Amino acid sequence: MIVKQIWTANAYRNFNYLVACGETGEALAIDPLDHEKCLRAARDEGWTITQILNTHEHHDHTGGNDAVVKATGAKILAHRNAVDKIDGMDRGLAAGDVVRVGKTVELEVLDTPGHTMCHVCLLAHTDAPALFCGDTLFNAGAGNCHNGGHPVELYKTFSEQLARLPAATRIYPGHDYIENNLRFTLDREPDNASAQAMLDRLAGQDPGKAYVSTLDVEREVNTFFRLTSPMVIAKLREAFPDLPERPDPRTVFVKLRELRNTW
Ligand SMILES: [Zn+2]
C-alpha cells in the first residue's frame, strides 16, 4: 500500500489522500477536494484513480468529486446513509465492509459517527496499520459536532473503536490542525511534556511534509484520549464546577468537546 498525503493549502487546512496498489497502479482518492492536485499527483506517479471515498458528507470533503469523476470515471463510495447527501454515490458502505484497491490493498470500513452521523473511517491492516479518519480524529484533537454530529456518539466512537486499534496505527486525518490542538492539550494539561515537546518540534511545520502520528502518540498528546487524567479533570472542574468528584469518561469527553468549541 502506498499512501500519498496531499496538502491543499486552503483556508480549511484540508488533507486529501491517494492510496495506491504498488502492483497495479490503481488508486483510491480520499476526500479529493483539491481535484487538480489529486489528479496531478496521480498522473505524476503513473496511477489511475478508480475510486473516490468520502469519509463524510461535508462539502470540503466532497467538493472535488465531480471533477475527479469527470476526469477518471471513478466510482464514489461513502457511508450508506449518506446516499441522500452525496450526489452520484455508487456504493454505500457499512461497518466491516472491505474496500479493495488493485491487488494488494484492503481497507476495512469502520462506521464512526460523531462528527456527522454518516461518517466512515478506513483501516488498513498492513505491517504498519493505518487509519484514514476524516474529521473524526485529528492529530491531538477530535472533530467538532456542530454540523450534524453528536458528542456522545463521538465519545463512543473514540472509546469503543479508535482506542482499541493497534498502538502502531498511523493516523491520517482530514485536516492539519495539529498546532492548535496541541495548544488546547497544553491549556488542559500544562504539565504534558510530550505535547510541549511536540509543539516545540512541529510549530510552523510545512504541512506539505506533515508529521504522521500513531495511536500510541495520540494517547499521550490528545486530550480526548486522556479522560481519566487527574489534571484534565481538575482543570475541567474550573470551567464546570458541578462536575462530579469522579466523573465518568463520557461526561469528561462531552465537556471537553464543549470547551473546545469556545476555545
Ligand atoms: Zn467535516
Side-chain angles (χ1 to χ4, degrees):
M1 182 178 79
I2 308 169
V3 177
K4 198 169 185 69
Q5 183 179 55
I6 294 165
W7 165 238
T8 61
N10 67 354
Y12 300 113
R13 308 189 67 81
N14 289 80
F15 281 132
N16 303 167
Y17 296 90
L18 296 179
V19 178
C21 169
E23 269 187 39
T24 68
E26 286 162 81
L28 168 76
I30 300 179
D31 295 336
L33 174 68
D34 193 329
H35 47 91
E36 289 177 359
K37 279 187 184 166
C38 290
L39 291 168
R40 193 183 319 131
R43 200 164 50 233
D44 290 349
E45 299 286 347
W47 296 340
T48 308
I49 297 173
T50 53
Q51 300 175 88
I52 295 165
L53 180 281
N54 291 139
T55 55
H56 64 291
E57 70 273 27
H58 288 159
H59 185 74
D60 62 315
H61 296 256
T62 62
N65 286 4
D66 288 351
V68 175
V69 169
K70 205 169 168 206
T72 65
K75 303 287 184 212
I76 300 174
L77 288 61
H79 193 291
R80 60 181 173 182
N81 295 343
V83 68
D84 298 332
K85 300 176 167 68
I86 297 176
D87 288 341
M89 245 178 75
D90 295 288
R91 181 180 170 195
L93 301 171
D97 286 354
V98 174
V99 175
R100 290 192 172 78
V101 186
K103 286 184 188 165
T104 60
V105 180
E106 288 191 358
L107 302 158
E108 179 191 348
V109 175
L110 308 183
D111 186 346
T112 52
H115 173 65
T116 74
M117 297 310 284
C118 29
H119 191 298
V120 291
C121 296
L122 291 184
L123 178 65
H125 297 279
T126 54
D127 291 343
L131 182 73
F132 301 92
C133 41
D135 291 1
T136 298
L137 167 65
F138 295 125
N139 295 126
N144 69 50
C145 301
H146 48 245
N147 286 301
H150 199 290
V152 172
E153 294 298 324
L154 190 62
Y155 165 70
K156 284 194 212 159
T157 290
F158 266 64
S159 61
E160 293 170 14
Q161 298 194 68
L162 304 186
R164 294 176 185 177
L165 298 178
T169 305
R170 288 171 294 163
I171 305 302
Y172 291 109
H175 295 264
D176 171 45
Y177 294 153
I178 192 165
E179 198 172 324
N180 245 339
N181 284 342
L182 286 169
R183 291 187 200 288
F184 180 70
T185 297
L186 288 164
D187 183 64
R188 299 291 85 210
E189 263 185 309
D191 67 347
N192 188 322
S194 301
Q196 186 63 60
M198 191 178 284
L199 181 61
D200 292 344
R201 191 157 49 88
L202 297 180
Q205 76 165 345
D206 173 6
K209 298 173 191 139
Y211 163 73
V212 177
S213 76
T214 57
L215 190 63
D216 57 349
V217 168
E218 293 300 327
R219 286 200 183 95
E220 279 183 44
V221 302
N222 191 324
T223 312
F224 294 91
F225 283 122
R226 301 178 60 75
L227 308 173
T228 57
S229 151
M231 183 170 283
V232 167
I233 293 170
K235 291 271 292 174
L236 199 57
R237 188 168 291 111
E238 291 172 12
F240 301 98
D242 293 341
L243 202 68
E245 186 58 36
R246 287 185 187 184
D248 63 78
R250 185 179 75 169
T251 304
V252 175
F253 186 101
V254 170
K255 298 288 188 198
L256 281 171
R257 190 50 267 175
E258 195 179 324
L259 205 61
R260 185 67 178 84
N261 292 339
T262 63
W263 196 76

